Amino acid sequence: MDITKNIDMKVERQDIKTLSECKVVMMGITKRFPGVLANDHVNLYVKRGEIHAIVGENGAGKTTLMKQLYGLIKPDSGTIYIDGKQIAINSPSDAISNGIGMVHQHFMLVPPLTVAENIVLGMEPVKGIIFDLNKAREDVEKLSKKYALHVDPDVKIEDISVGMQQRVEILKTLYRGADLLILDEPTAVLTPQETEELFEVMKNLKEQGKTIIFITHKLNEVMAITDYVTVMRLGKVTGRVKTKDTNPNELARMMVGRDVLLRVNKRPPHFGKKIFEIKNLWVKDNRRLDAVRGISLEIHEGEILGIAGVAGNGQSELVEAITGLRRVELGKIIFDGMDITNWSPKQIRRAGIAHVTEDRLKYGLIVKYPISYNFILSRYDERPFSNNGFLDLNAINTKADELIREFDVRTPSRDVLVGALSGGNQQKVIVAREFHFTPKFAVIAQPTRGLDIGAIEFIHNKILEMRDKGIGMLLVSMELEEIFSLSDRIAVMYEGEIMGIVKPEETTVETVGLMMAGTRLDGGHRANDS
Amino acid sequence: MNWLIAIVNIFMNPFFYKSMLNKATPLIFASLGGVYSETTGVVNIALEGIMLAGAFASVVFTYITGNPWIGILMAVYIGAAMGALHALACVTYRGNQIVSGTALILLSQGATGFLLQRIFGQPGSSDLVKTLPTWKIEAFRRIPFVGLIIGDLSPLVYIAFICVICSHFLIFKTKLGLRMRAVGENPESADTLGIDVYNVRYFGVIMSGILASLGGAFLSVGQLGQFTENMSNGRGFIALAAMIFGNWKPFGALGASLLFGMAESFSYQLQTQSILKLPPEIKYLFLMIPFVLTLVVVAGFVGKTRPPASDGIPYEKE
C-alpha cells in the first residue's frame, strides 16, 4: 500500500486514521471528456457506516465521479480502494460484486415487468431452466421486511408511485448484497412526505451498518440527514466538512465560489386588475386521456401564481393549452378581456403572453442557431428585424448585444451557437427573449430546472423584477422551494385537478406536500374516477 | 345465395383448413422470428430477405445431397448468418435498422437470382428437388374430420407449432426470456445490472434469422420442391404485420399467422367454387385478399398493441 497516500488522506480528512476505516477511498481520480475536465484529481474518503453527502452545482462532476465508482465509465487515472483494498472496477458487475449499489437519478427500471422481476433481474433465482418467480417473490418480501422498505412484489412498475419505484431501486441494490449505496439526487422526484420516508429508510440502513453516498444540491437535505460533506466545483473538491460543523451558507459558498443569497428578497405585491382567467378547463394528453380536469384559476397584474405538483399531474398539458400548443377540449381561457381559447401560438404571443418553456433544448431554443437568432425567434417577421421579407442583420445584432448585456449572458460573442452555452446561459437567452418584448402576462415552466445556484439567483430576480413591473405570471415548477419563494399564491395540482390554493406565508411545506399527494385543502381525498 | 353456399362449402371442407395450415406455416416461423428480434429491441424487416435465402439454400443443398433434411439444416445456418450480419450492423455498429434490413433484402434477392443461374443454369426457377416427406401421424388420422386436417402434414408444420410453444416458454418462463424483455424495454437498466445487452440482442436477432429461414425452407423443400425467383413474395412483411397484430407475443403471432393463412387459403378455395361461375381473371383480385387484410390489420391495430419500449433504438454504452 502506498504510504504517501495515507498521509495525504489524514491531512485532508482528519477524523480518519487508517485506510481500513474507510468504506471507499477514491484517490486522484481524473476523467476528461472532449473539451471538459470532468474530474480533476478528485480525492474522496467515505467512512464506513456514514451518510456522506457529495454536493455541487450541475456540471461539478458529482455524477461522473459516482459513475466511475459504479463502473459505468472508466477513470483516465486514479485508484479506488474498497475496505482498504485497491480494486479495479471495469463494469457494473465488478461494482456489484464489490458490494456497491447505485440508485440512478433516472430510475433504471423496466416498466412492464413486476417489482419482483425488476429486483432480481440479472441475478434471477432458477429452478432447473425455469425462472423461479415464487422464490424471487419470497426473497423480495423478506428483504422488504428486513429493511422496512414496503413494496408489493407482484405489481408492475408502470402502475406504482415514484416513491415506491425508488424503494424498488434501493431493494435492487440490497438484493445484490450492496453495503455501499450511492443515491444520485434521490429526492428530486419526491414529494416532501416521500422525502421524509426516504430519510427514515436511509437512517435505518445506516443503523444496519450500510454506508451511503448521497448526491444532492439541496443544502437543507444535507444538513438534515448526512454526517459528512464533500463539496465539488468544476471537477475539483472544494471542501470537506463534518455536517455538524457547517451551515448552508458556508456550503453554498464552497459550491459557487462566492457568497450567495439563498432566499430571494420579495417586495410586497401590488396587484392590478384581473389579467388572466381560466374557466373549467379540460385538456387531453397524448394518449387522449384527460390530463387537465376542469381547472379554474385567475391571476392579476403583478401577481405570481405558482403551480406545485409532482411531475406528470397535468401541469405540462395546462401550460401547452394556455400557450396554444395543445387543444382545449372544454372550458375557456380569457386574457385581457379576450377569449383566447384555442388561438394559435402566434396569435397568443401577439396578444402579449410570453412563454418560458419547460424544456429549454426541445422547445425553448434552436440549439444550432446563434444566440442572436434565438433572441428574435418570436419576432423575426416584424420590424425592425424584418424588412419586406429580408432579415435586417444590423437590427438583429444590435438587439442581441443589448440583450446579452442586459441579461448577463456569458458568451464570447452573439454568434456563438446556443447549443454551446451552459444551461444557465441558455436559460438567460430564453428569459431575455420572453421578458424583453414587454408581455402583459407570462407562463413560466421550470425556469431553473438543472441550473446552478448562481443562475437560479439571477433568473429568480428577473422574474420578481417583472412581477414588480405589474406583469401577471403563471409559474409551474417541480421545485417546491422555488414555488414558495416566488409565488404570491400557490395552487397545487394532482391528477389534473387543483387540490387547493394557498398563500405561501400562510401554509407549510407539509400541507402543500399532502395536497401534492392528492389530499384536498378542505380535507377530503380526491374522489377516484369511475 | 350462391355465395352463401360457396362459403359454407369452403368452411365444411377439411382441405380448406389443411391448406390454411400450410399457408400459415411460413408466416408462423417468420413472425415468431420477428418476436425474438423485437423483444430484444431490434427491428428486423430483413425477414423477407432471410426467408428467400432460406428457401434457396435448402433447395441447393437438397439438390447437392439428395437429402432435404440437410437442406433444412443449411437453411438454419444461412438464416443464423444473415441474422448475425443484421446484428453486426445494428447492434455492434448501431446502424439504422431499417436501412440494414432493406440492404439484406436486396442482397438476398440479388444473390439468389445470381446463384440460381450459376447453379441450375436457368433463370426463374431451379430444378425440382426432393420435398420433405410428410409425417403421417396415426393417432391424429383416426380422429374424424380433424384427422384429415392434421394427420398428414409436412414435419415443418408440426415443428412450427412446437416452436411457438417453446418460444412462449423461453420468453416468459426463463431467465433468458426475462433478460430479453428487459433489454428490449430498457437496455440501460439491464446494463447497470450487469446484463450484456449486446449478447442478448445478438441472440434475439440470430434466432429471428433462423426462424425466418425455416419459414423460407418450408416454402421450397417443404412444399414445392423447387426454388422460384423471389418466392418469399412479401410474406416476410405479412409476417411483420402478424407479429404486430399478435402484440409481439408468440401465441399472438401464431393466431395472426393462422388468420392470414386462412385468408390466403380462402382466396384460393373461392376460385374453385364452380357454383359462383366466376370469370378466371377474378383470381388476381382474390390474390389481394391477404394483403388487404394486412393493410386493415396494420392500420387498425398499430397503436393499440404495444411494442417493446426500446424497439428499434440502438443501444450505446457510455
Side-chain angles (χ1 to χ4, degrees):
Chain A
M1 209 172 298
D2 194 332
I3 307 285
T4 55
K5 281 180 180 165
N6 267 323
I7 293 167
D8 189 10
M9 176 177 83
K10 280 179 213 157
V11 171
E12 291 191 324
R13 188 167 169 178
Q14 282 152 357
D15 62 330
I16 292 179
K17 288 177 190 68
T18 63
L19 191 58
S20 53
E21 270 180 69
C22 291
K23 180 67 206 168
V24 186
V25 173
M26 296 179 83
M27 200 75 82
I29 301 290
T30 299
K31 177 73 194 177
R32 185 182 292 278
F33 291 122
V36 205
L37 194 53
N39 284 158
D40 184 5
H41 295 90
V42 172
N43 297 345
L44 176 75
Y45 317 95
V46 180
K47 216 169 166 177
R48 188 168 300 110
E50 74 180 359
I51 300 181
H52 189 113
I54 301 182
V55 299
E57 299 190 295
N58 288 295
K62 304 170 299 225
T63 300
T64 305
L65 186 69
M66 288 303 109
K67 281 187 171 168
Q68 294 171 89
L69 184 54
Y70 193 63
L72 286 169
I73 48 182
K74 276 182 216 165
D76 297 338
S77 64
T79 44
I80 297 173
Y81 303 83
I82 301 291
D83 292 323
K85 275 193 288 291
Q86 186 182 338
I87 57 161
I89 302 176
N90 295 316
S91 68
S93 310
D94 289 349
I96 292 166
S97 61
N98 279 295
I100 303 169
M102 181 159 178
V103 175
H104 299 264
Q105 199 172 344
H106 306 288
F107 293 158
M108 299 284 182
L109 296 168
V110 185
L113 299 188
T114 66
V115 167
E117 285 171 334
N118 265 280
I119 290 173
V120 303
L121 187 63
M123 283 182 73
E124 304 86 350
V126 285
K127 206 190 268 170
I129 56 163
I130 301 174
F131 164 53
D132 192 346
L133 186 59
N134 284 326
K135 175 85 168 34
R137 202 181 285 140
E138 277 166 30
D139 288 350
V140 167
E141 264 164 4
K142 231 181 280 167
L143 215 53
S144 148
K145 278 218 185 72
K146 183 174 174 196
Y147 293 103
L149 283 154
H150 169 72
V151 294
D152 179 350
D154 295 318
V155 291
K156 289 183 177 176
I157 295 294
E158 57 199 3
D159 297 331
I160 62 178
S161 70
V162 174
M164 194 186 279
Q165 290 184 6
Q166 191 164 56
R167 292 198 285 278
V168 173
E169 283 282 23
I170 295 172
L171 282 169
K172 257 164 76 177
T173 67
L174 296 171
Y175 179 79
R176 285 162 179 74
D179 51 10
L180 167 68
L181 276 77
I182 305 166
L183 307 180
D184 190 358
E185 302 208 12
T187 59
V189 289
L190 301 183
T191 63
Q193 278 77 12
E194 285 173 329
T195 303
E196 279 305 314
E197 281 172 35
L198 174 68
F199 286 175
E200 284 308 310
V201 168
M202 287 167 68
K203 280 180 203 152
N204 194 350
L205 289 168
K206 184 182 153 184
E207 270 164 32
Q208 307 220 22
K210 308 283 184 194
T211 309
I212 298 174
I213 297 180
F214 176 52
I215 302 178
T216 186
H217 56 243
K218 295 181 182 166
L219 299 176
N220 53 349
E221 292 177 355
V222 173
M223 299 310 294
I225 185 81
T226 66
D227 301 306
Y228 201 90
V229 192
T230 297
V231 187
M232 291 184 72
R233 175 156 54 93
L234 300 173
K236 290 195 176 94
V237 173
T238 51
R240 291 188 181 82
V241 276
K242 274 192 183 153
T243 309
K244 63 175 197 292
D245 297 340
T246 186
N247 58 60
N249 284 320
E250 188 190 23
L251 289 175
R253 195 162 49 240
M254 288 191 276
M255 279 167 70
V256 183
R258 62 179 169 82
D259 281 313
V260 194
L261 212 55
L262 288 178
R263 288 254 159 230
V264 291
N265 280 327
K266 194 162 74 175
R267 274 184 285 279
H270 294 287
F271 296 161
K273 66 173 169 46
K274 188 164 75 185
I275 182 80
F276 182 82
E277 188 177 6
I278 293 174
K279 287 181 184 165
N280 188 28
L281 192 75
W282 289 76
V283 184
K284 288 191 192 300
D285 65 13
N286 291 340
R287 295 165 300 168
R288 305 292 303 149
L289 302 173
D290 290 322
V292 176
R293 303 151 159 264
I295 282 188
S296 299
L297 289 172
E298 43 189 70
I299 301 171
H300 299 85
E301 287 175 338
E303 179 186 35
I304 298 180
L305 177 75
I307 303 265
V310 178
N313 274 290
Q315 300 98 316
S316 306
E317 288 80 6
L318 173 66
V319 166
E320 287 167 9
I322 295 173
T323 52
L325 296 169
R326 187 177 286 275
R327 230 184 87 78
V328 172
E329 305 289 332
L330 190 69
K332 273 199 168 78
I333 303 173
I334 294 161
F335 164 65
D336 205 12
M338 297 174 284
D339 182 349
I340 60 162
T341 315
N342 287 330
W343 282 18
S344 76
K346 189 157 190 167
Q347 288 171 310
I348 291 172
R349 278 188 171 278
R350 285 281 148 82
I353 296 185
H355 178 199
V356 175
T357 55
E358 68 172 356
D359 188 330
R360 283 196 280 288
L361 302 179
K362 210 162 149 193
Y363 302 112
L365 296 166
I366 300 181
V367 290
K368 299 210 163 155
Y369 271 13
I371 298 171
S372 54
Y373 283 12
N374 273 284
F375 278 137
I376 57 148
L377 283 182
S378 56
R379 306 270 159 171
Y380 66 91
D381 54 350
E382 290 175 14
R383 282 176 189 278
F385 309 120
S386 168
N387 256 330
N388 307 320
F390 288 95
L391 291 178
D392 182 341
L393 289 179
N394 277 332
I396 293 170
N397 288 341
T398 314
K399 183 55 82 184
D401 288 339
E402 179 193 332
L403 289 179
I404 285 171
R405 256 194 324 277
E406 188 187 340
F407 284 82
D408 189 30
V409 182
R410 308 275 169 83
T411 171
S413 112
R414 60 178 179 246
D415 300 321
V416 169
L417 300 188
V418 152
L421 297 177
S422 73
N425 283 308
Q426 289 174 345
Q427 192 70 3
K428 283 178 186 173
V429 170
I430 296 182
V431 169
R433 178 181 72 216
E434 298 301 326
F435 284 0
H436 176 71
F437 298 101
T438 51
K440 295 182 198 156
F441 182 72
V443 180
I444 300 173
Q446 318 295 354
T448 59
R449 178 187 277 177
L451 301 192
D452 51 44
I453 296 180
I456 291 174
E457 193 187 12
F458 183 89
I459 303 266
H460 281 178
N461 284 330
K462 279 288 169 199
I463 290 174
L464 288 175
E465 206 178 283
M466 294 300 279
R467 158 190 179 261
D468 293 338
K469 279 186 190 161
I471 291 154
M473 285 183 234
L474 181 82
L475 169 72
V476 177
S477 176
M478 301 303 138
E479 297 290 339
L480 215 43
E481 234 183 290
E482 178 166 83
I483 292 280
F484 266 83
S485 59
L486 296 180
S487 308
D488 296 305
R489 284 186 301 147
I490 300 171
V492 184
M493 261 182 103
Y494 175 76
E495 296 200 344
E497 293 178 40
I498 300 281
M499 292 291 109
I501 299 184
V502 290
K503 290 190 172 164
E505 61 277 9
E506 292 170 3
T507 189
T508 59
V509 173
E510 286 68 35
T511 313
V512 171
L514 282 174
M515 291 197 280
M516 284 164 69
T519 308
R520 286 189 189 279
L521 185 58
D522 52 29
H525 200 83
R526 187 182 162 277
N528 262 337
D529 9 315
S530 57
Chain B
M1 194 57 201
N2 282 351
W3 277 89
L4 194 63
I5 293 168
I7 289 171
V8 170
N9 265 342
I10 291 170
F11 277 89
M12 294 296 288
N13 182 353
F15 293 102
F16 164 63
Y17 297 100
K18 186 173 179 177
S19 149
M20 170 183 91
L21 289 178
N22 280 324
K23 302 292 177 207
T25 296
L27 300 178
I28 297 172
F29 275 120
S31 60
L32 197 57
V35 169
Y36 272 91
S37 180
E38 300 210 1
T39 295
T40 65
V42 182
V43 171
N44 190 358
I45 66 159
L47 293 177
E48 171 75 12
I50 299 175
M51 282 181 101
L52 189 65
F56 183 72
S58 59
V59 165
V60 169
F61 286 95
T62 306
Y63 176 73
I64 294 169
T65 63
N67 183 344
W69 283 108
I70 292 179
I72 299 281
L73 185 68
M74 291 316 290
V76 166
Y77 285 134
I78 291 290
M82 289 187 68
L85 207 58
H86 187 53
L88 184 72
C90 311
V91 179
T92 306
Y93 292 108
R94 296 179 292 277
N96 184 304
Q97 301 174 2
I98 304 298
V99 173
S100 165
T102 310
L104 280 174
I105 293 171
L106 296 175
L107 174 78
S108 183
Q109 286 171 348
T112 51
F114 172 75
L115 291 172
L116 182 66
Q117 287 222 30
R118 270 298 157 98
I119 296 170
F120 297 100
Q122 65 203 21
S125 60
S126 72
D127 297 356
L128 284 173
V129 298
K130 227 167 115 185
T131 57
L132 221 47
T134 59
W135 279 352
K136 295 183 177 33
I137 301 179
E138 283 309 320
F140 288 168
R141 279 156 70 94
R142 270 188 237 117
I143 314 171
F145 194 78
V146 176
L148 292 172
I149 304 170
I150 62 170
D152 181 20
L153 289 164
S154 166
L156 285 173
V157 180
Y158 301 110
I159 291 172
F161 277 80
I162 294 167
C163 281
V164 170
I165 296 164
C166 291
S167 301
H168 176 83
F169 178 80
L170 178 87
I171 293 173
F172 293 104
K173 302 288 175 196
T174 70
K175 185 166 118 174
L176 177 61
L178 185 69
R179 292 180 176 195
M180 286 169 65
R181 285 182 286 147
V183 162
E185 287 289 340
N186 188 348
E188 236 182 327
S189 152
D191 194 14
T192 56
L193 295 174
I195 294 171
D196 190 321
V197 174
Y198 290 2
N199 279 355
V200 173
R201 288 198 163 173
Y202 262 87
F203 172 76
V205 181
I206 288 174
M207 280 304 292
S208 85
I210 290 172
L211 288 163
S213 189
L214 278 175
F218 176 77
L219 287 175
S220 58
V221 285
Q223 281 188 305
L224 203 58
Q226 192 184 25
F227 176 83
T228 61
E229 210 168 57
N230 203 14
M231 79 186 299
S232 54
N233 197 16
R235 284 184 181 82
F237 295 111
I238 296 184
L240 281 176
M243 171 199 72
I244 293 169
F245 188 32
N247 203 9
W248 285 267
K249 292 188 170 73
F251 279 108
L254 170 67
S257 298
L258 288 174
L259 182 71
F260 285 125
M262 184 186 279
E264 199 179 340
S265 166
F266 187 73
S267 76
Y268 286 117
Q269 295 286 332
L270 217 46
Q271 295 164 41
T272 64
Q273 297 299 315
S274 48
I275 188 170
L276 295 176
K277 300 190 190 66
L278 294 168
E281 65 275 17
I282 197 87
K283 79 171 190 192
Y284 294 104
L285 280 182
F286 284 170
L287 284 176
M288 287 173 19
I289 291 178
F291 295 93
V292 171
L293 185 68
T294 306
L295 208 63
V296 169
V297 159
V298 169
F301 283 87
V302 166
K304 294 192 179 66
T305 56
R306 188 184 161 283
S310 299
D311 199 7
I313 306 166
Y315 179 65
E316 196 157 355
K317 278 174 88 86
E318 282 188 75

